[in-house]
Short mmCIF file of all heavy atoms in Angstrom, two decimals:
data_model
loop_
_atom_site.label_atom_id
_atom_site.label_comp_id
_atom_site.label_asym_id
_atom_site.label_seq_id
_atom_site.Cartn_x
_atom_site.Cartn_y
_atom_site.Cartn_z
N MET Z 1 71.25 97.35 92.76
CA MET Z 1 72.45 97.35 93.60
C MET Z 1 72.30 98.38 94.72
O MET Z 1 71.80 99.48 94.49
CB MET Z 1 73.66 97.69 92.73
CG MET Z 1 74.97 97.22 93.34
SD MET Z 1 76.36 97.60 92.26
CE MET Z 1 76.21 96.29 91.06
N LYS Z 2 72.70 98.01 95.87
CA LYS Z 2 72.50 98.85 97.06
C LYS Z 2 73.47 100.05 97.10
O LYS Z 2 74.65 99.89 96.83
CB LYS Z 2 72.72 97.98 98.29
CG LYS Z 2 72.00 98.46 99.52
CD LYS Z 2 72.14 97.40 100.62
CE LYS Z 2 71.28 97.76 101.81
NZ LYS Z 2 71.37 96.77 102.88
N GLU Z 3 72.89 101.25 97.38
CA GLU Z 3 73.72 102.45 97.54
C GLU Z 3 74.20 102.55 98.98
O GLU Z 3 73.44 102.27 99.91
CB GLU Z 3 72.90 103.71 97.22
CG GLU Z 3 72.54 103.87 95.77
CD GLU Z 3 73.63 104.60 94.99
OE1 GLU Z 3 74.43 105.32 95.61
OE2 GLU Z 3 73.68 104.43 93.76
N LEU Z 4 75.41 102.96 99.16
CA LEU Z 4 75.97 103.15 100.50
C LEU Z 4 76.46 104.57 100.65
O LEU Z 4 76.90 105.19 99.68
CB LEU Z 4 77.14 102.20 100.74
CG LEU Z 4 76.84 100.71 100.73
CD1 LEU Z 4 78.16 99.92 100.85
CD2 LEU Z 4 75.91 100.35 101.86
N GLU Z 5 76.40 105.09 101.87
CA GLU Z 5 76.94 106.42 102.13
C GLU Z 5 77.67 106.41 103.47
O GLU Z 5 77.16 105.89 104.45
CB GLU Z 5 75.81 107.45 102.17
CG GLU Z 5 76.32 108.87 102.33
CD GLU Z 5 75.20 109.90 102.29
OE1 GLU Z 5 74.60 110.09 101.23
OE2 GLU Z 5 74.93 110.50 103.35
N LEU Z 6 78.87 106.95 103.47
CA LEU Z 6 79.65 107.11 104.70
C LEU Z 6 79.88 108.60 104.91
O LEU Z 6 80.27 109.30 103.99
CB LEU Z 6 81.02 106.44 104.57
CG LEU Z 6 81.09 104.93 104.66
CD1 LEU Z 6 82.52 104.48 104.37
CD2 LEU Z 6 80.66 104.45 106.03
N ARG Z 7 79.62 109.07 106.13
CA ARG Z 7 79.85 110.48 106.47
C ARG Z 7 80.73 110.57 107.69
O ARG Z 7 80.54 109.82 108.64
CB ARG Z 7 78.54 111.19 106.83
CG ARG Z 7 77.69 111.52 105.66
CD ARG Z 7 76.33 112.08 106.13
NE ARG Z 7 75.58 112.43 104.94
CZ ARG Z 7 75.50 113.67 104.46
NH1 ARG Z 7 76.05 114.67 105.12
NH2 ARG Z 7 74.85 113.90 103.35
N LYS Z 8 81.66 111.49 107.67
CA LYS Z 8 82.48 111.73 108.86
C LYS Z 8 82.69 113.24 108.97
O LYS Z 8 83.12 113.89 108.02
CB LYS Z 8 83.83 111.01 108.72
CG LYS Z 8 84.78 111.22 109.86
CD LYS Z 8 84.36 110.48 111.10
CE LYS Z 8 85.34 110.76 112.23
NZ LYS Z 8 84.91 110.19 113.49
N THR Z 9 82.35 113.78 110.15
CA THR Z 9 82.52 115.22 110.38
C THR Z 9 83.71 115.44 111.30
O THR Z 9 83.85 114.76 112.32
CB THR Z 9 81.24 115.81 110.99
OG1 THR Z 9 80.17 115.63 110.07
CG2 THR Z 9 81.40 117.31 111.27
N PHE Z 10 84.56 116.37 110.91
CA PHE Z 10 85.75 116.73 111.68
C PHE Z 10 85.63 118.18 112.12
O PHE Z 10 85.17 119.03 111.35
CB PHE Z 10 87.01 116.61 110.82
CG PHE Z 10 87.25 115.24 110.27
CD1 PHE Z 10 86.70 114.85 109.05
CD2 PHE Z 10 88.03 114.32 110.97
CE1 PHE Z 10 86.93 113.59 108.54
CE2 PHE Z 10 88.26 113.05 110.46
CZ PHE Z 10 87.71 112.69 109.24
N SER Z 11 86.05 118.46 113.34
CA SER Z 11 86.16 119.84 113.82
C SER Z 11 87.62 120.13 114.07
O SER Z 11 88.35 119.27 114.57
CB SER Z 11 85.40 120.03 115.13
OG SER Z 11 84.03 119.79 114.92
N PHE Z 12 88.06 121.32 113.69
CA PHE Z 12 89.45 121.68 113.95
C PHE Z 12 89.59 123.19 114.08
O PHE Z 12 88.70 123.94 113.67
CB PHE Z 12 90.40 121.13 112.86
CG PHE Z 12 90.08 121.61 111.46
CD1 PHE Z 12 90.75 122.69 110.92
CD2 PHE Z 12 89.11 120.97 110.71
CE1 PHE Z 12 90.47 123.13 109.63
CE2 PHE Z 12 88.81 121.40 109.41
CZ PHE Z 12 89.50 122.47 108.88
N GLU Z 13 90.68 123.58 114.71
CA GLU Z 13 90.99 125.00 114.91
C GLU Z 13 92.22 125.34 114.08
O GLU Z 13 93.11 124.50 113.93
CB GLU Z 13 91.33 125.30 116.38
CG GLU Z 13 90.50 124.53 117.40
CD GLU Z 13 89.09 125.05 117.49
OE1 GLU Z 13 88.93 126.28 117.35
OE2 GLU Z 13 88.17 124.25 117.70
N ALA Z 14 92.26 126.53 113.54
CA ALA Z 14 93.45 126.97 112.80
C ALA Z 14 93.67 128.45 113.09
O ALA Z 14 92.71 129.21 113.27
CB ALA Z 14 93.28 126.74 111.31
N ALA Z 15 94.93 128.83 113.16
CA ALA Z 15 95.27 130.22 113.45
C ALA Z 15 96.04 130.82 112.28
O ALA Z 15 96.71 130.13 111.52
CB ALA Z 15 96.12 130.28 114.71
N HIS Z 16 95.90 132.14 112.14
CA HIS Z 16 96.70 132.86 111.14
C HIS Z 16 96.81 134.32 111.55
O HIS Z 16 96.13 134.77 112.47
CB HIS Z 16 96.10 132.72 109.73
CG HIS Z 16 94.81 133.45 109.50
ND1 HIS Z 16 94.33 133.74 108.26
CD2 HIS Z 16 93.91 133.97 110.37
CE1 HIS Z 16 93.18 134.40 108.36
NE2 HIS Z 16 92.91 134.54 109.62
N ARG Z 17 97.69 135.01 110.85
CA ARG Z 17 97.74 136.47 111.01
C ARG Z 17 97.98 137.06 109.63
O ARG Z 17 98.48 136.40 108.73
CB ARG Z 17 98.82 136.88 112.01
CG ARG Z 17 100.22 136.64 111.57
CD ARG Z 17 101.20 136.94 112.70
NE ARG Z 17 102.54 136.64 112.25
CZ ARG Z 17 103.36 137.56 111.71
NH1 ARG Z 17 102.96 138.80 111.59
NH2 ARG Z 17 104.55 137.21 111.29
N LEU Z 18 97.56 138.28 109.46
CA LEU Z 18 97.66 138.95 108.16
C LEU Z 18 98.56 140.17 108.35
O LEU Z 18 98.10 141.28 108.62
CB LEU Z 18 96.25 139.34 107.68
CG LEU Z 18 95.28 138.15 107.55
CD1 LEU Z 18 93.86 138.62 107.27
CD2 LEU Z 18 95.73 137.19 106.45
N PRO Z 19 99.89 139.96 108.23
CA PRO Z 19 100.87 140.97 108.61
C PRO Z 19 100.86 142.23 107.73
O PRO Z 19 101.41 143.25 108.13
CB PRO Z 19 102.21 140.24 108.50
CG PRO Z 19 101.97 139.09 107.59
CD PRO Z 19 100.52 138.72 107.74
N LYS Z 20 100.21 142.17 106.57
CA LYS Z 20 100.20 143.37 105.71
C LYS Z 20 99.10 144.35 106.09
O LYS Z 20 99.05 145.48 105.57
CB LYS Z 20 100.08 142.98 104.23
CG LYS Z 20 101.35 142.28 103.73
CD LYS Z 20 101.35 142.05 102.25
CE LYS Z 20 102.69 141.42 101.85
NZ LYS Z 20 102.69 140.98 100.48
N LEU Z 21 98.22 143.93 106.99
CA LEU Z 21 97.18 144.86 107.45
C LEU Z 21 97.78 145.82 108.46
O LEU Z 21 98.80 145.53 109.08
CB LEU Z 21 96.04 144.07 108.11
CG LEU Z 21 95.19 143.21 107.17
CD1 LEU Z 21 94.18 142.37 107.97
CD2 LEU Z 21 94.44 144.10 106.17
N PRO Z 22 97.15 146.98 108.65
CA PRO Z 22 97.65 147.94 109.65
C PRO Z 22 97.68 147.30 111.04
O PRO Z 22 96.86 146.41 111.34
CB PRO Z 22 96.62 149.08 109.62
CG PRO Z 22 95.86 148.92 108.35
CD PRO Z 22 95.97 147.47 107.95
N ASP Z 23 98.62 147.72 111.89
CA ASP Z 23 98.79 147.14 113.24
C ASP Z 23 97.51 147.20 114.08
O ASP Z 23 97.29 146.36 114.94
CB ASP Z 23 99.90 147.86 114.00
CG ASP Z 23 101.28 147.42 113.51
OD1 ASP Z 23 101.34 146.39 112.80
OD2 ASP Z 23 102.27 148.11 113.82
N ASP Z 24 96.67 148.22 113.86
CA ASP Z 24 95.47 148.36 114.69
C ASP Z 24 94.29 147.52 114.16
O ASP Z 24 93.23 147.48 114.77
CB ASP Z 24 95.07 149.84 114.81
CG ASP Z 24 94.79 150.47 113.45
OD1 ASP Z 24 95.26 149.92 112.42
OD2 ASP Z 24 94.12 151.52 113.42
N HIS Z 25 94.49 146.83 113.03
CA HIS Z 25 93.42 145.98 112.50
C HIS Z 25 93.41 144.66 113.28
O HIS Z 25 94.47 144.09 113.52
CB HIS Z 25 93.66 145.69 111.01
CG HIS Z 25 92.49 145.08 110.31
ND1 HIS Z 25 92.08 143.79 110.54
CD2 HIS Z 25 91.64 145.60 109.41
CE1 HIS Z 25 91.02 143.54 109.78
NE2 HIS Z 25 90.74 144.63 109.08
N LYS Z 26 92.22 144.20 113.67
CA LYS Z 26 92.16 143.00 114.53
C LYS Z 26 92.75 141.75 113.86
O LYS Z 26 93.20 140.84 114.54
CB LYS Z 26 90.72 142.74 114.99
CG LYS Z 26 89.77 142.39 113.87
CD LYS Z 26 88.38 142.08 114.41
CE LYS Z 26 87.46 141.69 113.28
NZ LYS Z 26 86.13 141.32 113.74
N CYS Z 27 92.77 141.69 112.54
CA CYS Z 27 93.29 140.50 111.86
C CYS Z 27 94.80 140.56 111.63
O CYS Z 27 95.38 139.62 111.07
CB CYS Z 27 92.56 140.28 110.54
SG CYS Z 27 90.85 139.76 110.79
N SER Z 28 95.47 141.63 112.00
CA SER Z 28 96.93 141.69 111.85
C SER Z 28 97.60 140.87 112.94
O SER Z 28 98.75 140.46 112.80
CB SER Z 28 97.43 143.13 111.89
OG SER Z 28 97.26 143.68 113.18
N ARG Z 29 96.90 140.65 114.05
CA ARG Z 29 97.43 139.82 115.15
C ARG Z 29 97.09 138.37 114.91
O ARG Z 29 96.13 138.05 114.20
CB ARG Z 29 96.84 140.28 116.49
CG ARG Z 29 97.31 141.65 116.94
CD ARG Z 29 96.67 142.08 118.24
NE ARG Z 29 95.25 142.42 118.05
CZ ARG Z 29 94.23 141.68 118.49
NH1 ARG Z 29 94.44 140.58 119.19
NH2 ARG Z 29 92.98 142.03 118.27
N LEU Z 30 97.89 137.47 115.54
CA LEU Z 30 97.61 136.04 115.45
C LEU Z 30 96.25 135.77 116.09
O LEU Z 30 95.99 136.21 117.21
CB LEU Z 30 98.71 135.26 116.17
CG LEU Z 30 98.65 133.74 116.06
CD1 LEU Z 30 98.88 133.29 114.62
CD2 LEU Z 30 99.67 133.10 116.98
N HIS Z 31 95.38 135.10 115.37
CA HIS Z 31 94.07 134.78 115.91
C HIS Z 31 93.59 133.48 115.26
O HIS Z 31 94.16 133.04 114.27
CB HIS Z 31 93.07 135.92 115.66
CG HIS Z 31 92.80 136.15 114.21
ND1 HIS Z 31 93.66 136.80 113.39
CD2 HIS Z 31 91.75 135.77 113.44
CE1 HIS Z 31 93.16 136.83 112.17
NE2 HIS Z 31 92.00 136.21 112.16
N GLY Z 32 92.55 132.89 115.83
CA GLY Z 32 92.11 131.58 115.34
C GLY Z 32 90.67 131.56 114.88
O GLY Z 32 89.89 132.47 115.17
N HIS Z 33 90.37 130.52 114.14
CA HIS Z 33 89.00 130.25 113.69
C HIS Z 33 88.70 128.78 113.95
O HIS Z 33 89.60 127.95 113.94
CB HIS Z 33 88.85 130.51 112.19
CG HIS Z 33 89.13 131.91 111.79
ND1 HIS Z 33 88.20 132.90 111.87
CD2 HIS Z 33 90.26 132.48 111.33
CE1 HIS Z 33 88.75 134.03 111.46
NE2 HIS Z 33 90.00 133.81 111.12
N SER Z 34 87.42 128.47 114.13
CA SER Z 34 86.98 127.08 114.27
C SER Z 34 86.35 126.65 112.95
O SER Z 34 85.60 127.42 112.34
CB SER Z 34 85.94 126.96 115.38
OG SER Z 34 86.51 127.34 116.61
N PHE Z 35 86.68 125.44 112.51
CA PHE Z 35 86.14 124.93 111.26
C PHE Z 35 85.47 123.58 111.49
O PHE Z 35 85.84 122.84 112.41
CB PHE Z 35 87.26 124.72 110.23
CG PHE Z 35 87.95 125.99 109.81
CD1 PHE Z 35 89.05 126.45 110.53
CD2 PHE Z 35 87.49 126.71 108.74
CE1 PHE Z 35 89.69 127.61 110.16
CE2 PHE Z 35 88.13 127.88 108.35
CZ PHE Z 35 89.24 128.33 109.07
N LYS Z 36 84.50 123.29 110.66
CA LYS Z 36 83.86 121.99 110.67
C LYS Z 36 83.81 121.52 109.22
O LYS Z 36 83.37 122.26 108.34
CB LYS Z 36 82.44 122.12 111.25
CG LYS Z 36 81.83 120.81 111.68
CD LYS Z 36 80.44 121.00 112.25
CE LYS Z 36 80.51 121.13 113.77
NZ LYS Z 36 79.14 121.04 114.37
N ALA Z 37 84.29 120.30 108.95
CA ALA Z 37 84.29 119.76 107.59
C ALA Z 37 83.66 118.38 107.61
O ALA Z 37 83.93 117.58 108.50
CB ALA Z 37 85.71 119.67 107.06
N THR Z 38 82.79 118.12 106.64
CA THR Z 38 82.16 116.80 106.52
C THR Z 38 82.60 116.14 105.21
O THR Z 38 82.48 116.75 104.15
CB THR Z 38 80.62 116.91 106.56
OG1 THR Z 38 80.23 117.53 107.78
CG2 THR Z 38 79.95 115.53 106.47
N ILE Z 39 83.12 114.94 105.32
CA ILE Z 39 83.51 114.15 104.15
C ILE Z 39 82.38 113.15 103.88
O ILE Z 39 81.95 112.46 104.80
CB ILE Z 39 84.81 113.34 104.43
CG1 ILE Z 39 85.94 114.24 104.91
CG2 ILE Z 39 85.23 112.53 103.21
CD1 ILE Z 39 86.43 115.22 103.90
N VAL Z 40 81.88 113.11 102.66
CA VAL Z 40 80.81 112.18 102.29
C VAL Z 40 81.31 111.28 101.16
O VAL Z 40 81.76 111.79 100.13
CB VAL Z 40 79.54 112.93 101.81
CG1 VAL Z 40 78.42 111.94 101.48
CG2 VAL Z 40 79.07 113.93 102.86
N LEU Z 41 81.25 109.99 101.38
CA LEU Z 41 81.58 109.01 100.35
C LEU Z 41 80.30 108.27 99.99
O LEU Z 41 79.61 107.77 100.86
CB LEU Z 41 82.62 108.00 100.86
CG LEU Z 41 83.97 108.55 101.28
CD1 LEU Z 41 84.83 107.42 101.83
CD2 LEU Z 41 84.66 109.24 100.12
N ARG Z 42 79.97 108.23 98.70
CA ARG Z 42 78.73 107.58 98.27
C ARG Z 42 79.04 106.67 97.09
O ARG Z 42 79.81 107.03 96.21
CB ARG Z 42 77.73 108.67 97.85
CG ARG Z 42 76.30 108.20 97.73
CD ARG Z 42 75.36 109.37 97.42
NE ARG Z 42 75.31 110.32 98.52
CZ ARG Z 42 75.41 111.65 98.38
NH1 ARG Z 42 75.60 112.18 97.20
NH2 ARG Z 42 75.35 112.45 99.42
N GLY Z 43 78.44 105.51 97.08
CA GLY Z 43 78.68 104.61 95.95
C GLY Z 43 77.82 103.36 96.04
O GLY Z 43 76.99 103.22 96.94
N LYS Z 44 78.03 102.52 95.07
CA LYS Z 44 77.27 101.27 95.03
C LYS Z 44 78.07 100.16 95.71
O LYS Z 44 79.29 100.11 95.60
CB LYS Z 44 77.01 100.87 93.58
CG LYS Z 44 76.02 101.79 92.88
CD LYS Z 44 75.83 101.35 91.43
CE LYS Z 44 74.70 102.06 90.72
NZ LYS Z 44 74.58 103.48 90.95
N LYS Z 45 77.32 99.32 96.39
CA LYS Z 45 77.95 98.19 97.06
C LYS Z 45 78.43 97.18 96.00
O LYS Z 45 77.70 96.89 95.04
CB LYS Z 45 76.93 97.56 97.99
CG LYS Z 45 77.49 96.56 98.96
CD LYS Z 45 76.38 96.13 99.92
CE LYS Z 45 76.86 95.07 100.87
NZ LYS Z 45 75.77 94.60 101.74
N HIS Z 46 79.63 96.70 96.15
CA HIS Z 46 80.16 95.71 95.21
C HIS Z 46 79.34 94.43 95.31
O HIS Z 46 79.05 93.96 96.42
CB HIS Z 46 81.62 95.42 95.54
CG HIS Z 46 82.33 94.66 94.47
ND1 HIS Z 46 82.11 93.32 94.22
CD2 HIS Z 46 83.25 95.07 93.56
CE1 HIS Z 46 82.86 92.94 93.21
NE2 HIS Z 46 83.57 93.99 92.80
N PRO Z 47 78.90 93.86 94.16
CA PRO Z 47 78.03 92.66 94.18
C PRO Z 47 78.64 91.50 94.97
O PRO Z 47 77.91 90.69 95.56
CB PRO Z 47 77.90 92.27 92.70
CG PRO Z 47 78.50 93.36 91.91
CD PRO Z 47 79.23 94.30 92.81
N LYS Z 48 79.94 91.44 95.00
CA LYS Z 48 80.62 90.38 95.75
C LYS Z 48 80.24 90.38 97.22
O LYS Z 48 80.28 89.34 97.89
CB LYS Z 48 82.13 90.60 95.60
CG LYS Z 48 83.01 89.58 96.25
CD LYS Z 48 84.48 89.92 96.00
CE LYS Z 48 85.41 89.08 96.85
NZ LYS Z 48 86.80 89.50 96.67
N TYR Z 49 79.85 91.56 97.76
CA TYR Z 49 79.54 91.67 99.19
C TYR Z 49 78.05 91.67 99.50
O TYR Z 49 77.64 91.97 100.61
CB TYR Z 49 80.22 92.92 99.78
CG TYR Z 49 81.72 92.85 99.64
CD1 TYR Z 49 82.37 93.59 98.66
CD2 TYR Z 49 82.46 92.00 100.46
CE1 TYR Z 49 83.75 93.50 98.52
CE2 TYR Z 49 83.82 91.90 100.31
CZ TYR Z 49 84.47 92.66 99.33
OH TYR Z 49 85.81 92.55 99.18
N ASP Z 50 77.21 91.42 98.45
CA ASP Z 50 75.76 91.36 98.71
C ASP Z 50 75.38 90.12 99.50
O ASP Z 50 76.05 89.10 99.43
CB ASP Z 50 74.99 91.35 97.38
CG ASP Z 50 74.68 92.78 96.95
OD1 ASP Z 50 74.74 93.69 97.81
OD2 ASP Z 50 74.40 92.99 95.75
ZN1 ZN B 1 91.14 135.38 110.44
#
């Protein structure tokens, strides 16, 4: 049976602040990070579609 794989990569930005840190700490202010996530789906092809 044939194996199939689907991959999709997403890029997104997200912001946060950490208000419990001291005011002079760079992470106490609102700031952002860039993320990249890849979703991988792998499985066998259903015989009906061979
Ligand atoms: Zn951060």
Side-chain angles (χ1 to χ4, degrees):
M1 201 178 282
K2 205 172 187 179
E3 290 273 338
L4 296 175
E5 184 177 292
L6 284 174
R7 284 174 178 261
K8 178 73 182 174
T9 299
F10 300 88
S11 298
F12 58 97
E13 322 287 324
H16 71 161
R17 68 186 177 93
L18 302 171
K20 291 188 177 171
L21 291 174
D23 284 345
D24 59 340
H25 192 289
K26 65 177 182 178
C27 290
S28 68
R29 291 178 288 109
L30 186 66
H31 65 283
H33 299 276
S34 298
F35 296 89
K36 197 179 265 192
T38 302
I39 306 294
V40 182
L41 299 177
R42 195 175 295 133
K44 290 178 170 43
K45 192 174 177 183
H46 193 287
K48 182 179 169 184
Y49 299 103
D50 270 342

